[in-house]
Amino acid sequence: MLDREVVREFLEDKFEDIGIEIPKDISDEVIVETFCKYTEDDYYEWLKDNFKSFFDHGKPNWNWIRGRVDHYSKN
Protein backbone atom coordinates (compact mmCIF):
# COMPACT_ATOMS: atom_id res chain seq x y z
CA MET A 1 0.00 0.00 0.00
CA LEU A 2 2.72 2.49 0.94
CA ASP A 3 5.40 3.34 -1.59
CA ARG A 4 8.44 1.67 -0.03
CA GLU A 5 10.91 3.95 -1.85
CA VAL A 6 9.15 7.07 -0.55
CA VAL A 7 9.17 5.60 2.96
CA ARG A 8 12.87 4.73 2.61
CA GLU A 9 13.71 8.33 1.66
CA PHE A 10 11.51 9.67 4.47
CA LEU A 11 13.20 7.45 7.06
CA GLU A 12 16.69 8.29 5.79
CA ASP A 13 15.95 12.02 6.09
CA LYS A 14 14.42 11.68 9.55
CA PHE A 15 17.25 9.46 10.81
CA GLU A 16 19.79 11.97 9.53
CA ASP A 17 17.90 14.92 11.07
CA ILE A 18 17.91 13.42 14.56
CA GLY A 19 21.06 11.34 14.37
CA ILE A 20 19.63 7.82 14.46
CA GLU A 21 21.86 4.99 13.23
CA ILE A 22 20.33 1.62 12.41
CA PRO A 23 22.10 -1.21 14.22
CA LYS A 24 24.29 -3.29 11.93
CA ASP A 25 22.27 -6.46 12.58
CA ILE A 26 19.09 -4.86 11.10
CA SER A 27 19.07 -4.10 7.38
CA ASP A 28 17.65 -0.94 5.87
CA GLU A 29 15.19 -3.08 3.89
CA VAL A 30 13.90 -4.73 7.06
CA ILE A 31 13.44 -1.36 8.77
CA VAL A 32 11.52 0.03 5.80
CA GLU A 33 9.28 -3.02 5.45
CA THR A 34 8.61 -3.26 9.18
CA PHE A 35 7.82 0.45 9.46
CA CYS A 36 5.47 0.19 6.47
CA LYS A 37 3.63 -2.79 7.95
CA TYR A 38 3.42 -1.02 11.33
CA THR A 39 1.92 2.04 9.62
CA GLU A 40 -0.44 0.04 7.40
CA ASP A 41 -1.81 -1.89 10.39
CA ASP A 42 -3.26 1.33 11.75
CA TYR A 43 -4.28 2.76 8.37
CA TYR A 44 -7.67 1.03 8.12
CA GLU A 45 -8.65 2.08 11.65
CA TRP A 46 -7.61 5.64 10.82
CA LEU A 47 -9.80 5.58 7.69
CA LYS A 48 -12.80 4.30 9.66
CA ASP A 49 -12.38 7.00 12.32
CA ASN A 50 -12.07 9.74 9.71
CA PHE A 51 -15.12 8.40 7.84
CA LYS A 52 -17.17 8.59 11.04
CA SER A 53 -16.14 12.16 11.79
CA PHE A 54 -16.35 13.43 8.19
CA PHE A 55 -19.82 11.94 7.70
CA ASP A 56 -20.94 12.70 11.28
CA HIS A 57 -21.55 9.07 12.28
CA GLY A 58 -24.01 8.44 9.44
CA LYS A 59 -25.80 11.80 9.67
CA PRO A 60 -23.76 13.89 7.24
CA ASN A 61 -23.91 17.66 7.44
CA TRP A 62 -23.90 18.35 3.71
CA ASN A 63 -23.41 22.09 4.20
CA TRP A 64 -20.24 21.44 6.19
CA ILE A 65 -19.10 18.92 3.56
CA ARG A 66 -19.74 21.49 0.81
CA GLY A 67 -17.49 23.84 2.79
CA ARG A 68 -14.74 21.23 2.82
CA VAL A 69 -15.21 20.66 -0.93
CA ASP A 70 -14.88 24.41 -1.53
CA HIS A 71 -11.85 24.63 0.76
CA TYR A 72 -9.96 21.80 -0.91
CA SER A 73 -11.02 22.80 -4.41
CA LYS A 74 -9.12 26.07 -3.96
CA ASN A 75 -5.84 24.25 -3.33
Side-chain angles (χ1 to χ4, degrees):
M1 189 177 295
L2 293 174
D3 183 322
R4 270 41 179 178
E5 191 55 37
V6 170
V7 171
R8 177 184 311 285
E9 291 173 15
F10 171 81
L11 291 176
E12 287 172 356
D13 288 345
K14 290 298 180 186
F15 288 169
E16 185 176 321
D17 288 349
I18 60 177
I20 291 178
E21 290 187 29
I22 300 171
K24 297 203 183 306
D25 64 328
I26 304 174
S27 72
D28 295 352
E29 292 78 24
V30 168
I31 288 292
V32 170
E33 188 61 27
T34 303
F35 183 77
C36 285
K37 287 180 179 178
Y38 173 83
T39 302
E40 289 167 350
D41 280 349
D42 194 47
Y43 185 66
Y44 185 69
E45 290 302 316
W46 175 80
L47 282 173
K48 288 189 328 186
D49 289 344
N50 278 282
F51 179 87
K52 288 175 191 173
S53 64
F54 189 87
F55 293 103
D56 198 15
H57 300 274
K59 299 175 186 161
N61 177 338
W62 292 110
N63 288 328
W64 179 84
I65 291 171
R66 283 183 187 96
R68 297 291 80 204
V69 169
D70 289 344
H71 172 78
Y72 290 111
S73 295
K74 293 177 184 175
N75 294 333

